Amino acid sequence: MSARGQRKRRGVLGWAWRLLLLLALWLAGVASYIVWVGERDQAAPADVIIVLGAAAYDARPSPVFAERIRHGIDLYQRGLAKHLIFTGGFGNGARFSESQVAQRYALKHGVPRQAILIETRSRTTHQNLQQAAALMKAHGFKRAIIVSDPLHMARALRLAREAGIDALGSSTPTSRFRSFETRKRFLLQEVYFFHRDLFVKTR
């Protein structure tokens, strides 16, 4: 290869390394932002607490969902809002929707029925928040505390604001996603969704 060809090749490789470095820095920045939002607790007086749905096993919440429900109840009992909205529809073949499971759990833990609102149609985070926004509008609520897992909070808050909700985030203080491997998988998933949502309309 000629000296000119070698210089050209080195130039191309140099630009490729620069682009890879910029990409790595960007992805690290997005991941750091997601972690930072999840670790920040904005809990403050609001009209309602929205607990985002997660898996339920018949009438029993999954460990992840139970953590969200408990945290929502704790915020309610601290007097930060007078109402709870539980979200989440029916899984395949399920007898109860996720929100019904959460409602049963809250009632057993002393939350009065009149303080609980549910929706049973949503299947995704985006739908959770669209349905919650409709309930808020119907009841004249303006501000909400969003409850979810720490690494899910950045996306949840963005979708809440897109739905017209004046949203504050309060992540679960404990989570099923405690090991390095589970946290890494969840974080990589959220980094993917961050970029997907820039180009694909969420449903």
Side-chain angles (χ1 to χ4, degrees), residues 6-167:
Q6 289 178 342
R7 286 196 301 271
K8 185 176 180 180
R9 183 182 178 189
R10 284 197 297 270
V12 170
L13 289 174
W15 278 109
W17 279 112
R18 290 185 184 96
L19 288 173
L20 285 173
L21 178 60
L22 286 173
L23 177 62
L25 289 172
W26 169 260
L27 292 175
V30 169
S32 298
Y33 171 75
I34 290 169
V35 171
W36 174 74
V37 171
E39 291 179 347
R40 180 185 59 174
D41 189 358
Q42 297 178 302
D47 299 310
V48 67
I49 298 156
I50 299 173
V51 178
L52 298 184
Y57 310 132
D58 193 44
R60 182 168 54 89
S62 65
V64 168
F65 197 20
E67 294 289 350
R68 296 183 188 184
I69 299 166
R70 280 196 287 267
H71 188 51
I73 292 171
D74 178 63
L75 294 173
Y76 169 81
Q77 291 175 339
R78 285 164 54 188
L80 292 177
K82 294 182 179 180
H83 294 85
L84 285 153
I85 293 178
F86 292 117
T87 67
F90 291 86
N92 293 331
R95 287 194 304 156
F96 304 101
S97 69
E98 294 167 4
S99 57
Q100 288 172 328
V101 172
Q103 181 185 47
R104 287 161 57 98
Y105 188 104
L107 290 171
K108 288 179 180 178
H109 286 78
V111 179
R113 186 175 294 274
Q114 63 268 26
I116 301 172
L117 300 169
I118 67 170
E119 62 80 23
T120 61
R121 298 174 58 187
S122 65
R123 299 293 296 274
T124 66
T125 302
H126 182 253
Q127 292 170 2
N128 287 166
L129 291 161
Q130 289 286 341
Q131 294 295 320
L135 282 173
M136 288 182 66
K137 184 176 181 180
H139 289 80
F141 300 149
K142 300 299 182 184
R143 170 170 282 194
I145 302 171
I146 308 297
V147 173
S148 191
D149 297 281
L151 296 178
H152 187 228
M153 186 56 69
R155 180 158 58 104
L157 286 174
R158 180 180 57 77
L159 292 173
R161 288 162 186 153
E162 286 180 5
I165 298 171
D166 179 8

Side-chain angles (χ1 to χ4, degrees), residues 158-178:
R158 180 180 57 77
L159 292 173
R161 288 162 186 153
E162 286 180 5
I165 298 171
D166 179 8
L168 304 170
S170 184
S171 303
T172 54
T174 58
S175 173
R176 174 174 176 265
F177 303 106
R178 294 176 187 171

